[in-house]
């Protein structure tokens, strides 16, 4: 049977779930300049063109060097709320129905912003988004290049707001910062009932060992990136059996390792692994979720069935009730049927 062609229109209109997006990575140059002016912060750039010109990176490390200083413009509860709300409005345009959003409290508390400003601002935006049809939950991440003690302190400081986030993640620079370093705080979070996930970035030193630690020692519910797992068939069999999904970000990959890793993503998909496609830091990689899906579909000639499976996987591995999952999956089926 000939495979059906995937069009841009089909991809953009599909009901979607976004599972790998850093709220701080949605800081568009326009909002960055606006907040810099409002909060009287000298960011060294004065025009959109200058801000865009500073967005130069070719590795995870060089990306993070641009990424963290940019966050200085975020100072008050309402700044965090504006950032997240601007993103959630874009999410609506991309037909995102459900999103689980990462945020990095230590990137703000380390420069004197109270943790409640961060959590309350982001949470308020998520509440407002429900009114225009986007459901969102928050995942609090620890910066793995900070200490395990700092992660624990952050976790304890966030606990009074525990009803405002549903999961715990781990991001930033993976080099020399393996999952094991954070075993204690993740064990506590798991015991407290949070869902847990971790970045296992692309082609890192010790990638397979880090993936093994995340899966076996930490018992993560998902892996963020993690496509290097394809190198170890026994770990692939493990995540297949446990139904542990991967949140892949092809356009982000093309920036930090100069390869979308589409071959690996497709290989895993066709082995029955629940891979998903996400946008990571869309303001920096100029690619929101539909753009990521379309770029991957174009470059690797995905079939319509591949695209539908990827989109369904995201709802399936999300951290919502079975009832809600089934409702969203039905929306996808209805959309596909209406598109015939
Ligand atoms: N923070 C934002 N984007 C990230 C990525 N791709 N890897 C690790 N930390 C990040
Ligand atoms: Zn990420």
């Amino acid at each position: 049977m000939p495979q059906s062609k995937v069009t841009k229109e089909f991809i953009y209109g599909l009901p979607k779930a976004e599972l790998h997006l850093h709220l701080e990575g949605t800081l568009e140059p326009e909002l960055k300049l606006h907040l810099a002016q409002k909060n009287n912060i000298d960011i060294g750039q004065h025009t959109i063109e200058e801000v865009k010109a500073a967005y130069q990176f070719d590795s995870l490390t060089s990306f993070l060097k641009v990424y963290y200083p940019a966050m200085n413009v975020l100072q008050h509860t309402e700044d965090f709320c504006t950032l997240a709300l601007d993103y959630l409005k874009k999410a609506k345009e991309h037909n995102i129905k459900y999103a689980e959003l990462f945020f990095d409290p230590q990137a703000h508390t380390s420069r004197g912003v109270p943790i409640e400003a961060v959590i309350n601002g982001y949470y308020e935006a998520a509440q407002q988004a429900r009114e225009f049809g986007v459901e969102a939950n928050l995942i609090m991440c620890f910066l793995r290049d900070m200490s395990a003690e700092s992660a624990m302190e952050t976790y304890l400081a966030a606990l009074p707001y525990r009803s405002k986030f549903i999961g715990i993640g781990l991001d930033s620079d993976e080099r020399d910062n393996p999952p094991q370093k954070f075993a204690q705080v993740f064990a506590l979070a798991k015991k407290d009932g949070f869902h847990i996930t971790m970045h296992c970035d692309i082609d890192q030193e010790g990638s397979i060992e880090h993936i093994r630690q995340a899966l076996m020692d930490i018992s993560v519910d998902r892996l963020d990136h993690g496509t290097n797992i394809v190198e170890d068939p026994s770990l692939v069999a493990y995540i297949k059996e446990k139904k542990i999904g991967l949140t892949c970000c092809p356009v982000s990959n093309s920036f930090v390792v100069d390869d979308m890793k589409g071959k690996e993503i497709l290989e895993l998909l066709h082995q029955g692994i629940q891979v998903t496609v996400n946008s990571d830091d869309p303001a920096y990689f100029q690619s929101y979720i539909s753009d990521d899906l379309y770029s991957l579909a174009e470059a690797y000639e995905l079939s319509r069935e591949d695209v539908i499976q990827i989109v369904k996987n995201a709802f399936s591995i999300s951290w919502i009730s079975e009832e809600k999952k089934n409702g969203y999956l039905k929306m996808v089926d209805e959309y596909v049927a209406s598109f015939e």
Side-chain angles (χ1 to χ4, degrees):
M1 199 170 71
Q3 296 200 322
S4 19
K5 168 118 183 70
V6 185
T7 62
K8 202 173 219 174
E9 189 196 355
F10 176 73
I11 286 182
Y12 280 67
L14 263 168
K16 299 174 196 73
E18 167 72 81
L19 302 180
H20 187 150
L21 176 128
H22 301 263
L23 280 169
E24 290 85 359
T26 69
L27 184 59
E28 291 285 352
E30 291 77 3
L31 182 60
K32 187 173 168 188
L33 278 179
H34 167 77
L35 291 175
Q37 222 165 30
K38 174 176 101 62
N39 293 331
N40 230 335
I41 289 174
D42 183 8
I43 55 168
Q45 298 125 15
H46 305 93
T47 64
I48 304 288
E49 289 65 37
E50 282 173 17
V51 176
K52 283 188 178 155
Y55 286 10
Q56 299 274 352
F57 24 77
D58 56 8
S59 66
L60 180 60
T61 309
S62 60
F63 162 67
L64 295 172
K65 272 199 186 131
V66 175
Y67 182 66
Y68 289 114
M71 295 177 200
N72 286 343
V73 301
L74 297 161
Q75 293 286 334
H76 308 290
T77 309
E78 63 269 22
D79 302 338
F80 293 96
C81 185
T82 302
L83 175 66
L85 200 54
D86 278 9
Y87 164 68
L88 287 160
K89 287 176 188 161
K90 285 210 185 72
K92 171 132 184 116
E93 289 167 24
H94 285 260
N95 273 306
I96 290 175
K97 302 292 177 194
Y98 178 66
E100 287 170 3
L101 307 171
F102 295 134
F103 68 104
D104 284 343
Q106 289 156 296
H108 314 298
T109 53
S110 61
R111 51 188 181 82
V113 176
I115 197 163
E116 60 266 31
V118 183
I119 298 179
N120 288 340
Y122 287 151
Y123 185 75
E124 173 59 25
Q127 293 308 101
Q128 288 186 30
R130 281 169 202 242
E131 286 162 27
F132 56 80
V134 180
E135 183 181 4
N137 284 313
L138 298 172
I139 302 174
M140 180 172 78
C141 292
F142 302 125
L143 300 184
R144 68 198 308 160
D145 41 0
M146 292 184 74
S147 68
E149 291 73 27
S150 172
M152 183 62 88
E153 260 170 42
T154 303
Y155 179 72
L156 296 176
L159 271 187
Y161 311 96
R162 59 174 300 163
S163 64
K164 298 186 175 177
F165 53 97
I166 65 164
I168 301 290
L170 185 69
D171 60 10
S172 197
D173 203 344
E174 189 170 330
R175 180 189 267 258
D176 298 328
N177 297 301
Q180 257 300 342
K181 175 175 165 186
F182 299 95
Q184 196 188 1
V185 68
F186 274 87
L188 182 57
K190 204 169 174 74
K191 186 168 90 31
D192 287 345
F194 288 105
H195 300 282
I196 60 175
T197 186
M198 284 184 168
H199 278 56
C200 286
D201 263 291
I202 308 293
D203 295 344
Q204 292 288 307
E205 239 175 75
S207 252
I208 292 294
E209 171 56 17
H210 289 192
I211 290 171
R212 192 203 62 73
Q213 287 181 14
L215 292 170
M216 307 296 178
D217 302 344
I218 312 289
S219 298
V220 290
D221 301 303
R222 286 204 297 252
L223 284 175
D224 300 314
H225 300 294
T227 40
N228 285 83
I229 198 168
V230 80
E231 297 159 24
D232 187 325
S234 66
L235 289 177
V236 174
Y238 180 84
I239 60 169
K240 186 169 178 175
E241 197 217 319
K242 299 270 180 196
K243 297 189 166 49
I244 294 171
L246 261 50
T247 65
C248 306
C249 309
V251 174
S252 160
N253 295 345
S254 71
F255 273 84
V256 300
V257 292
D258 203 18
D259 179 349
M260 279 195 220
K261 297 290 175 185
K263 187 169 157 285
E264 290 78 356
I265 293 171
L266 272 189
E267 200 174 318
L268 290 163
L269 178 73
H270 294 156
Q271 287 185 49
I273 301 300
Q274 298 190 78
V275 291
T276 63
V277 164
N278 307 272
S279 59
D280 211 3
D281 302 286
Y284 291 87
F285 306 134
Q286 291 134 52
S287 181
Y288 285 79
I289 192 166
S290 312
D291 311 313
D292 272 82
L293 262 172
Y294 187 65
S295 299
L296 185 73
E298 274 282 283
Y300 291 86
E301 298 181 341
L302 265 60
S303 67
R304 185 186 283 213
E305 291 67 28
D306 289 333
V307 171
I308 295 167
Q309 188 62 53
I310 287 171
V311 165
K312 284 188 164 183
N313 286 345
F315 288 113
S316 299
I317 67 165
S318 72
W319 296 332
I320 45 176
S321 67
E322 289 303 312
E323 192 187 345
K324 279 192 176 174
K325 276 184 199 180
N326 290 335
Y328 288 128
L329 290 168
K330 191 159 163 255
M331 265 187 209
V332 176
D333 285 334
E334 284 168 359
Y335 172 82
V336 172
S338 76
F339 212 87
E340 298 295 300

